[in-house]
Amino acid sequence: MVPHELSNEQGEHEVIAAAFCRPDLYPTLQHIRPGWFKNWADKRLWGCLQFCFETNGGPEPEVIDRLLKEHYGEEASGLLERLANIVDGYLHARHLTYYCRIVERAGIRRELVDWSRSLIELCESGATFSDIREHLASSPALPAGLTDGEVAS
């Protein structure tokens, strides 16, 4: 059974919170790319969490604090506050696959739209067909198993 309809942002927040609150579930989340998050801050938070898993085996608050301060300076306090709010609103991991699909589908759609816009700009700029072919070869790949309709687990 699928939970009530969530917005893309809610789904993104559930994924971030699950990674922080339930590090044992990270294998279910590790395929999610930072670029799939819509909000700049959420992209940064997800990238930081991924780095923590890759280097430390999981999220450690002091490491997250240090990384955000090193990379984002004055914006770090806002990012930390956002992470705290996301974690405070965490529901549960019961529908984590569903939340991952929300992030994945919205992110892939944004990637395709951005790629399509860049193709249009390239064509309108009078680029060579060789440049256009190269751009076509760089199209975002759709993950295997992506289907229409109900989200599969």
Side-chain angles (χ1 to χ4, degrees):
M1 181 163 81
V2 178
H4 71 282
E5 193 67 28
L6 288 179
S7 71
N8 291 343
E9 185 177 39
Q10 289 170 312
E12 292 172 0
H13 288 178
E14 286 300 307
V15 167
I16 290 170
F20 189 86
C21 297
R22 294 282 313 273
D24 58 305
L25 298 175
Y26 186 69
T28 304
L29 307 169
Q30 66 186 6
H31 73 284
I32 302 290
R33 299 190 297 240
W36 288 352
F37 290 83
K38 185 174 183 178
N39 183 287
W40 176 90
D42 295 341
K43 290 177 186 183
R44 300 315 177 261
L45 290 173
W46 186 250
C48 183
L49 286 168
Q50 280 188 318
F51 181 81
C52 286
F53 277 98
E54 291 166 9
T55 59
N56 298 322
E60 296 178 20
E62 55 280 346
V63 174
I64 292 170
D65 182 64
R66 180 179 48 80
L67 286 172
L68 292 176
K69 286 177 180 172
E70 283 176 11
H71 292 279
Y72 304 109
E74 294 177 10
E75 295 169 332
S77 62
L79 289 167
L80 289 166
E81 183 177 335
R82 184 172 183 86
L83 178 60
N85 289 335
I86 290 170
V87 169
D88 283 347
Y90 177 58
L91 298 174
H92 53 74
R94 185 177 313 139
H95 303 293
L96 189 57
T97 301
Y98 176 74
Y99 304 143
C100 287
R101 287 293 179 142
I102 288 173
V103 174
E104 182 179 75
R105 287 168 184 245
I108 290 169
R109 285 187 176 105
R110 279 191 293 275
E111 283 180 349
L112 289 169
V113 166
D114 291 345
W115 179 84
S116 298
R117 284 185 181 132
S118 64
L119 176 61
I120 291 168
E121 290 170 7
L122 190 63
C123 291
E124 289 177 343
S125 73
T128 66
F129 286 115
S130 178
D131 290 338
I132 293 170
R133 268 192 220 76
E134 186 177 317
H135 187 74
L136 289 170
S138 74
S139 89
L142 293 176
L146 198 61
T147 59
D148 291 329
E150 189 173 326
V151 176
S153 41

